[in-house]
Amino acid sequence: MGLTGGGFIALLFLAVAGLFAFTLWWWPRGARSGAGAVAARLGLLAGTQAVTLLAVLVAVNAHFEFYSGWDDLFATNAAPARIKHVMAKAGGPVKQIDTATVKRLGSAATKRDAAVSGAVEEYRFQGQETGLSAESFVLLPPQYYQPAYARTRFPVIVVLTGYPGHPTALLHTMRFPELVRQGERAGLPPAVYVLMRPTEAPPRDTECADVPGGPQVESFFAADVPLAMWAHYRVAAARTGWGIMGDSTGGFCAAKLAMKHPDRYSAAASLSGYFNTIQDITTGKLFGGNKALQDESNLLWREKHLPAPPISLLVASCRVGEKTFPENERFIAGIRPPTRADSLFLPSGGHNYRTFRRMVPATLRWFGTHLKAE
């Protein structure tokens, strides 16, 4: 039974109702003296409260998709196939990935269907440079399957969730494919979207850093993701065709990766993100006490002390309801050429998927004017 399934949630709340009913029925009968009777009453109260709390937490998780399933919760996801090296192609070295790691989702069962409605593929791969494994969902536009575009390499936009997050949250909670298809029908230029999470070493929140002696998540997104996409999809090779966006932690990662790797990402959008690395119980020590590494991941410090990279940034937030809004304003105020920045500040909104969804259409149009196909 799935962790986020309606049947499991209903079963938990039925158990809660049953425990409450049993407690009301049994309490007068169990109102006896003695250690055993007292322990039974305490156990019944504790058990009822525990199951109630569990039911609420599971329902909240199902809504926000913090964890998409039991394998995600316990980090027992099956390891994907290894990457094999093949001959280099135009645009840089390419590693071939076993096609068994790609699975078509949705109703576009044939190329004819996909040429009309596009397609969504589940794509699992292991990074050649870092060894990190990833599960992603790739949104392909209808043009990808149309003969007129047979030689076209499409722009790529990597889309990141927040922490802990999972790519399925972008599918089902954010409903990102629906927003993309709406944009395409309204004239949005075709692009390939790679839906991922920034947590590639779960359950640890690495803040997309290369941790000394630990997971190299920054390098994974800067090197392994492009290599994997070049290996299996007809996507742009030049930096001008690559963008990255995300919400919350994903927004911080998107801005950081573009600022630190302008040779790979030419445009980035941060939706309700922040601009300095969080370090708490979920992250552990990310920089091994190295202040220089810590400063380099502080984007407010970078824009003040290091040369500005030749990239375009979109900073989105809410004036009311978003606690990081002042940080977003400070970051925008510190932008220097050749970096270019635009802002998307909503009057109000919370730090949730409903607000992020409101930001996505304008963000997609923004990318459409900043990325180039080949």
Side-chain angles (χ1 to χ4, degrees):
M1 188 174 290
L3 177 62
T4 60
F8 181 57
I9 297 172
L11 182 62
L12 284 175
F13 278 99
L14 282 174
V16 170
L19 282 170
F20 271 103
F22 179 79
T23 300
L24 292 173
W25 173 83
W26 179 84
W27 199 263
R29 295 164 177 79
R32 300 187 303 273
S33 60
V38 172
R41 290 196 296 272
L42 290 176
L44 185 58
L45 289 175
T48 302
Q49 291 177 352
V51 175
T52 301
L53 178 61
L54 178 62
V56 171
L57 290 177
V58 169
V60 170
N61 176 71
H63 178 74
F64 290 102
E65 287 263 10
F66 295 131
Y67 296 97
S68 62
W70 299 110
D71 59 345
D72 191 36
L73 179 63
F74 296 110
T76 58
N77 305 55
R82 299 284 301 182
I83 297 177
K84 302 176 182 178
H85 182 71
V86 297
M87 295 181 61
K89 298 181 181 179
V94 174
K95 276 79 174 178
Q96 182 60 50
I97 296 172
D98 189 340
T99 56
T101 62
V102 179
K103 181 173 62 175
R104 177 71 57 78
L105 305 177
S107 59
T110 67
K111 286 188 176 181
R112 179 176 297 180
D113 296 331
V116 175
S117 59
V120 180
E121 294 185 346
E122 183 181 18
Y123 187 33
R124 296 174 180 262
F125 62 92
Q126 187 172 38
Q128 179 71 18
E129 303 298 327
T130 67
L132 293 174
S133 298
E135 176 184 1
S136 66
F137 295 95
V138 180
L139 276 62
L140 300 166
Q143 291 88 341
Y144 191 89
Y145 299 93
Q146 296 172 3
Y149 293 85
R151 296 183 179 276
T152 300
R153 290 181 173 270
F154 293 85
V156 183
I157 302 171
V158 178
V159 186
L160 302 177
T161 67
Y163 172 82
H166 191 275
T168 54
L170 294 170
L171 288 178
H172 305 307
T173 308
M174 178 82 87
R175 300 199 295 277
F176 196 85
E178 174 187 321
L179 297 174
V180 170
R181 300 311 180 210
Q182 289 175 356
E184 289 172 344
R185 290 192 291 270
L188 185 71
V192 173
Y193 298 86
V194 190
L195 312 186
M196 308 187 73
R197 63 178 176 182
T199 312
E200 297 305 330
R204 188 178 188 182
D205 175 13
T206 61
E207 298 282 294
C208 294
D210 280 350
V211 181
Q216 306 293 288
V217 179
E218 179 182 326
S219 294
F220 173 81
F221 284 107
D224 288 338
V225 171
L227 287 172
M229 291 302 295
W230 288 332
H232 197 76
Y233 295 98
R234 202 169 65 252
V235 296
R239 63 179 294 275
T240 53
W242 278 75
I244 185 167
M245 64 178 285
D247 59 78
S248 191
T249 299
F252 166 69
C253 288
K256 181 174 80 167
L257 287 162
M259 292 183 74
K260 296 187 72 173
H261 300 277
D263 58 325
R264 171 43 46 216
Y265 297 102
S266 65
S270 171
L271 311 186
S272 296
Y274 47 91
F275 297 92
N276 192 10
T277 307
I278 291 174
Q279 293 195 78
D280 57 21
I281 192 173
T282 66
T283 66
K285 295 182 178 180
L286 294 175
F287 306 108
N290 189 321
K291 189 176 184 304
L293 289 178
Q294 185 172 343
D295 286 341
E296 288 174 5
S297 288
N298 182 335
L299 305 189
L300 295 168
W301 184 91
R302 288 189 70 90
E303 70 175 357
K304 184 177 180 180
H305 295 92
L306 298 180
I311 60 174
S312 297
L313 294 170
L314 176 65
V315 178
S317 188
C318 300
R319 297 182 183 277
V320 176
E322 182 56 72
K323 64 181 181 180
T324 61
F325 178 72
E327 193 174 327
N328 281 254
E329 282 192 309
R330 288 200 304 274
F331 181 78
I332 283 288
I335 291 294
R336 294 177 288 116
T339 300
R340 297 182 298 173
D342 297 296
S343 63
L344 176 61
F345 293 157
L346 299 179
S348 63
H351 196 77
N352 54 54
Y353 278 112
R354 183 180 293 108
T355 299
F356 304 154
R357 278 180 55 83
R358 291 166 59 198
M359 298 172 173
V360 168
T363 301
L364 298 182
R365 292 193 297 271
W366 181 86
F367 273 115
T369 64
H370 286 79
L371 300 180
K372 298 178 180 178
E374 297 179 4

